[in-house]
Coordinates of all heavy atoms in Angstrom, one line a residue:
G192 N -7.9 9.4 -11.5 CA -7.7 10.3 -10.4 C -7.2 9.6 -9.2 O -6.4 8.7 -9.3
I193 N -7.6 10.1 -8.0 CA -7.1 9.6 -6.8 C -7.4 8.1 -6.6 O -6.7 7.3 -5.9 CB -7.6 10.4 -5.6 CG1 -6.7 10.1 -4.3 CG2 -9.1 10.1 -5.3 CD1 -7.0 11.1 -3.2
R194 N -8.5 7.6 -7.2 CA -8.8 6.1 -7.2 C -7.6 5.3 -7.8 O -7.4 4.2 -7.5 CB -10.1 5.8 -7.9 CG -10.4 4.3 -8.0 CD -11.8 4.1 -8.5 NE -12.7 4.4 -7.4 CZ -13.0 3.6 -6.4 NH1 -12.4 2.4 -6.3 NH2 -13.9 4.0 -5.5
G195 N -6.9 5.9 -8.8 CA -5.8 5.3 -9.4 C -4.7 4.8 -8.4 O -4.0 3.9 -8.6
C196 N -4.6 5.6 -7.3 CA -3.7 5.2 -6.2 C -4.0 3.8 -5.7 O -3.2 3.0 -5.5 CB -3.7 6.2 -5.1 SG -3.1 7.9 -5.6
L197 N -5.3 3.6 -5.4 CA -5.8 2.4 -4.8 C -5.6 1.2 -5.9 O -5.1 0.1 -5.5 CB -7.2 2.4 -4.4 CG -7.8 1.2 -3.8 CD1 -7.1 0.9 -2.5 CD2 -9.3 1.3 -3.6
T198 N -5.9 1.5 -7.1 CA -5.7 0.5 -8.2 C -4.3 0.1 -8.3 O -3.9 -1.1 -8.4 CB -6.3 1.0 -9.5 OG1 -7.6 1.5 -9.3 CG2 -6.2 0.0 -10.6
Y199 N -3.4 1.1 -8.4 CA -2.0 0.9 -8.7 C -1.4 0.1 -7.5 O -0.7 -1.0 -7.7 CB -1.2 2.2 -8.9 CG 0.3 2.0 -8.9 CD1 0.9 1.4 -10.0 CD2 1.1 2.5 -7.9 CE1 2.3 1.2 -10.0 CE2 2.4 2.3 -7.9 CZ 3.0 1.7 -8.9 OH 4.4 1.5 -8.9
W200 N -1.5 0.6 -6.3 CA -0.8 0.0 -5.2 C -1.5 -1.3 -4.7 O -0.8 -2.2 -4.2 CB -0.7 1.0 -4.0 CG 0.5 1.8 -4.1 CD1 1.8 1.3 -4.1 CD2 0.6 3.2 -4.3 NE1 2.7 2.4 -4.2 CE2 2.0 3.5 -4.4 CE3 -0.3 4.2 -4.4 CZ2 2.5 4.8 -4.5 CZ3 0.2 5.5 -4.6 CH2 1.6 5.8 -4.6
S201 N -2.7 -1.5 -5.0 CA -3.3 -2.8 -4.8 C -2.7 -3.9 -5.6 O -2.3 -5.0 -5.0 CB -4.8 -2.8 -5.1 OG -5.6 -2.0 -4.2
G202 N -2.4 -3.6 -6.8 CA -1.7 -4.6 -7.6 C -0.2 -4.8 -7.2 O 0.2 -5.9 -7.0
T203 N 0.5 -3.7 -7.0 CA 1.9 -3.8 -6.7 C 2.1 -4.4 -5.3 O 2.9 -5.3 -5.2 CB 2.5 -2.3 -6.7 OG1 2.4 -1.8 -8.0 CG2 3.9 -2.4 -6.2
L204 N 1.4 -4.0 -4.3 CA 1.6 -4.4 -3.0 C 1.2 -5.9 -2.8 O 1.7 -6.6 -1.9 CB 1.0 -3.5 -2.0 CG 1.5 -2.1 -1.9 CD1 0.8 -1.2 -1.0 CD2 3.0 -2.1 -1.5
S205 N 0.2 -6.3 -3.5 CA -0.2 -7.7 -3.4 C 0.9 -8.6 -4.1 O 1.3 -9.7 -3.5 CB -1.5 -8.0 -4.1 OG -1.5 -7.7 -5.5
E206 N 1.5 -8.2 -5.2 CA 2.5 -8.9 -5.8 C 3.8 -8.9 -5.0 O 4.6 -9.8 -5.1 CB 2.8 -8.4 -7.2 CG 1.7 -8.7 -8.2 CD 2.0 -8.2 -9.6 OE1 3.0 -7.5 -9.8 OE2 1.2 -8.5 -10.5
E207 N 4.0 -7.9 -4.2 CA 5.2 -7.8 -3.3 C 5.0 -8.5 -2.0 O 5.8 -8.4 -1.1 CB 5.6 -6.3 -3.1 CG 6.1 -5.7 -4.4 CD 6.6 -4.3 -4.1 OE1 7.4 -4.1 -3.2 OE2 6.2 -3.3 -4.8
A208 N 3.8 -9.1 -1.8 CA 3.5 -9.8 -0.6 C 3.6 -8.9 0.7 O 4.4 -9.2 1.6 CB 4.3 -11.0 -0.4
S209 N 2.9 -7.8 0.6 CA 3.0 -6.8 1.7 C 2.1 -7.1 2.9 O 1.0 -7.8 2.7 CB 2.6 -5.4 1.2 OG 3.4 -5.0 0.1
D210 N 2.4 -6.6 4.0 CA 1.5 -6.5 5.1 C 1.0 -5.1 5.2 O 1.8 -4.2 5.7 CB 2.1 -6.9 6.4 CG 2.2 -8.5 6.5 OD1 1.2 -9.1 6.5 OD2 3.3 -9.0 6.7
C211 N -0.2 -4.7 4.8 CA -0.6 -3.3 4.7 C -2.1 -3.2 4.7 O -2.8 -4.2 4.4 CB 0.0 -2.6 3.5 SG -0.5 -3.2 1.9
E212 N -2.5 -2.0 5.0 CA -3.9 -1.6 4.9 C -4.1 -0.4 4.0 O -3.3 0.6 4.2 CB -4.5 -1.3 6.3 CG -4.4 -2.5 7.2 CD -4.7 -2.1 8.7 OE1 -5.1 -0.9 8.9 OE2 -4.4 -2.9 9.6
L213 N -5.0 -0.5 3.0 CA -5.2 0.6 2.1 C -6.6 1.2 2.3 O -7.5 0.4 2.4 CB -4.9 0.2 0.6 CG -3.6 -0.5 0.3 CD1 -3.6 -0.8 -1.2 CD2 -2.4 0.4 0.7
Y214 N -6.7 2.5 2.3 CA -8.1 3.1 2.5 C -8.3 4.2 1.4 O -7.3 4.9 1.1 CB -8.2 3.7 3.9 CG -7.9 2.8 5.0 CD1 -6.6 2.7 5.5 CD2 -8.9 2.0 5.6 CE1 -6.4 1.8 6.6 CE2 -8.7 1.1 6.6 CZ -7.4 1.1 7.1 OH -7.1 0.2 8.2
L215 N -9.4 4.2 0.9 CA -9.8 5.3 -0.1 C -11.1 5.9 0.2 O -12.1 5.2 0.4 CB -9.8 4.7 -1.5 CG -10.3 5.7 -2.6 CD1 -9.3 6.8 -2.8 CD2 -10.6 4.9 -3.9
N216 N -11.2 7.2 0.3 CA -12.4 7.9 0.4 C -12.5 8.9 -0.7 O -12.0 10.0 -0.6 CB -12.6 8.6 1.8 CG -14.0 9.1 2.0 OD1 -14.6 9.7 1.1 ND2 -14.5 8.9 3.2
E217 N -13.0 8.5 -1.8 CA -13.0 9.3 -3.0 C -13.8 10.6 -2.8 O -13.4 11.6 -3.3 CB -13.5 8.5 -4.2 CG -13.0 8.9 -5.5 CD -13.3 7.9 -6.6 OE1 -14.0 6.8 -6.3 OE2 -12.9 8.1 -7.8
K218 N -14.9 10.5 -2.2 CA -15.8 11.6 -1.9 C -15.1 12.7 -1.1 O -15.2 13.9 -1.4 CB -17.0 11.2 -1.3 CG -18.1 12.3 -1.1 CD -19.4 11.8 -0.5 CE -20.4 12.9 -0.3 NZ -21.7 12.5 0.3
A219 N -14.3 12.3 -0.1 CA -13.6 13.2 0.8 C -12.2 13.6 0.2 O -11.5 14.4 0.8 CB -13.5 12.6 2.2
G220 N -11.8 12.9 -0.9 CA -10.5 13.3 -1.5 C -9.3 12.8 -0.9 O -8.3 13.5 -0.9
W221 N -9.3 11.6 -0.3 CA -8.0 11.1 0.3 C -7.8 9.6 0.1 O -8.8 8.8 0.0 CB -8.0 11.4 1.8 CG -9.1 10.9 2.7 CD1 -10.2 11.6 3.1 CD2 -9.2 9.6 3.3 NE1 -11.0 10.8 3.9 CE2 -10.4 9.6 4.1 CE3 -8.3 8.5 3.3 CZ2 -10.8 8.5 4.8 CZ3 -8.7 7.4 4.0 CH2 -9.9 7.4 4.8
Y222 N -6.6 9.2 0.2 CA -6.1 7.8 0.1 C -5.1 7.6 1.2 O -4.1 8.4 1.3 CB -5.5 7.5 -1.3 CG -4.7 6.3 -1.4 CD1 -5.3 5.0 -1.6 CD2 -3.3 6.3 -1.2 CE1 -4.5 3.8 -1.6 CE2 -2.5 5.1 -1.3 CZ -3.2 3.9 -1.5 OH -2.4 2.8 -1.5
L223 N -5.2 6.6 2.0 CA -4.3 6.3 3.1 C -3.7 4.9 3.0 O -4.4 4.0 2.8 CB -5.0 6.5 4.4 CG -4.2 6.2 5.7 CD1 -3.1 7.2 5.9 CD2 -5.2 6.2 6.9
S224 N -2.4 4.9 3.1 CA -1.7 3.6 3.1 C -1.0 3.4 4.5 O -0.3 4.3 4.9 CB -0.6 3.5 2.0 OG 0.2 2.4 2.2
K225 N -1.3 2.3 5.2 CA -0.6 2.0 6.4 C 0.1 0.7 6.2 O -0.4 -0.4 6.2 CB -1.7 1.9 7.5 CG -2.4 3.2 7.8 CD -3.5 3.0 8.8 CE -3.0 2.7 10.2 NZ -4.1 2.6 11.2
M226 N 1.4 0.8 6.1 CA 2.3 -0.3 5.8 C 2.8 -0.9 7.2 O 3.5 -0.2 7.9 CB 3.5 0.1 5.0 CG 4.4 -1.1 4.6 SD 3.7 -2.1 3.3 CE 3.8 -1.0 1.9
Q227 N 2.4 -2.1 7.5 CA 2.9 -2.7 8.7 C 4.2 -3.3 8.5 O 5.1 -3.3 9.4 CB 1.9 -3.9 9.1 CG 0.4 -3.4 9.2 CD 0.2 -2.3 10.1 OE1 0.9 -2.1 11.1 NE2 -0.8 -1.5 9.9
H228 N 4.5 -3.9 7.3 CA 5.8 -4.5 7.0 C 6.1 -4.3 5.5 O 5.5 -4.9 4.7 CB 5.8 -6.0 7.3 CG 7.1 -6.6 7.1 ND1 8.2 -6.6 7.9 CD2 7.5 -7.4 6.0 CE1 9.2 -7.2 7.4 NE2 8.8 -7.8 6.3
C229 N 7.0 -3.3 5.2 CA 7.3 -3.1 3.8 C 8.2 -4.3 3.3 O 9.2 -4.6 3.9 CB 8.2 -1.8 3.7 SG 8.9 -1.5 2.1
P230 N 7.7 -4.9 2.3 CA 8.5 -6.1 1.8 C 9.9 -5.7 1.3 O 10.8 -6.5 1.4 CB 7.6 -6.6 0.6 CG 6.8 -5.4 0.2 CD 6.6 -4.6 1.4
S231 N 10.0 -4.5 0.7 CA 11.3 -4.2 0.2 C 12.3 -3.9 1.3 O 13.4 -4.5 1.4 CB 11.2 -2.9 -0.6 OG 10.5 -3.1 -1.8
K232 N 11.9 -3.1 2.3 CA 12.8 -2.8 3.4 C 13.0 -4.1 4.3 O 14.1 -4.4 4.7 CB 12.2 -1.7 4.3 CG 13.1 -1.3 5.4 CD 14.3 -0.6 4.9 CE 15.2 0.0 6.1 NZ 14.4 1.1 6.8
G233 N 11.9 -4.9 4.4 CA 12.0 -6.1 5.2 C 13.0 -7.1 4.5 O 13.8 -7.8 5.2
R234 N 13.0 -7.2 3.2 CA 13.9 -8.0 2.4 C 15.3 -7.6 2.6 O 16.2 -8.5 2.9 CB 13.5 -8.0 0.9 CG 14.5 -8.7 0.0 CD 14.3 -10.2 0.1 NE 15.0 -10.9 -1.0 CZ 15.5 -12.1 -0.9 NH1 15.3 -12.7 0.2 NH2 16.2 -12.6 -1.9
L235 N 15.6 -6.3 2.6 CA 16.9 -5.9 2.8 C 17.5 -6.2 4.2 O 18.6 -6.6 4.4 CB 17.0 -4.4 2.5 CG 16.9 -3.9 1.1 CD1 16.8 -2.4 1.0 CD2 18.0 -4.5 0.2
L236 N 16.6 -6.0 5.2 CA 17.0 -6.3 6.6 C 17.3 -7.8 6.8 O 18.2 -8.2 7.5 CB 16.0 -5.8 7.6 CG 15.8 -4.2 7.6 CD1 14.7 -3.8 8.6 CD2 17.2 -3.6 8.0
E237 N 16.5 -8.6 6.1 CA 16.7 -10.1 6.2 C 18.0 -10.4 5.5 O 18.8 -11.2 6.1 CB 15.6 -10.8 5.5 CG 14.2 -10.8 6.2 CD 13.1 -11.4 5.4 OE1 13.4 -12.0 4.3 OE2 12.0 -11.3 5.8
L238 N 18.3 -9.8 4.4 CA 19.6 -10.1 3.7 C 20.8 -9.6 4.5 O 21.9 -10.2 4.4 CB 19.5 -9.5 2.3 CG 18.6 -10.2 1.3 CD1 18.5 -9.5 0.0 CD2 19.0 -11.7 1.1

């Protein structure tokens, strides 16, 4: 369910060396991602 969002992006974003904050409130039915520095977009701008 919605917890799968936290599980999936926790793995992906750690391997991509992201600067981000992930929040999950399963009881209230929401998942929030606050990306401070997207590694993909950041990589492209560096290149």
Side-chain angles (χ1 to χ4, degrees):
I193 198 167
R194 174 168 290 278
C196 296
L197 182 64
T198 305
Y199 170 72
W200 271 297
S201 290
T203 297
L204 294 176
S205 63
E206 290 183 354
E207 292 186 51
S209 305
D210 281 302
C211 65
E212 300 167 8
L213 307 181
Y214 305 92
L215 172 70
N216 192 315
E217 206 168 3
K218 184 176 181 180
W221 58 264
Y222 163 84
L223 176 65
S224 169
K225 296 174 68 176
M226 184 75 70
Q227 310 300 333
H228 180 80
C229 170
S231 297
K232 186 66 174 294
R234 174 75 170 149
L235 289 175
L236 293 177
E237 288 174 7
L238 290 174

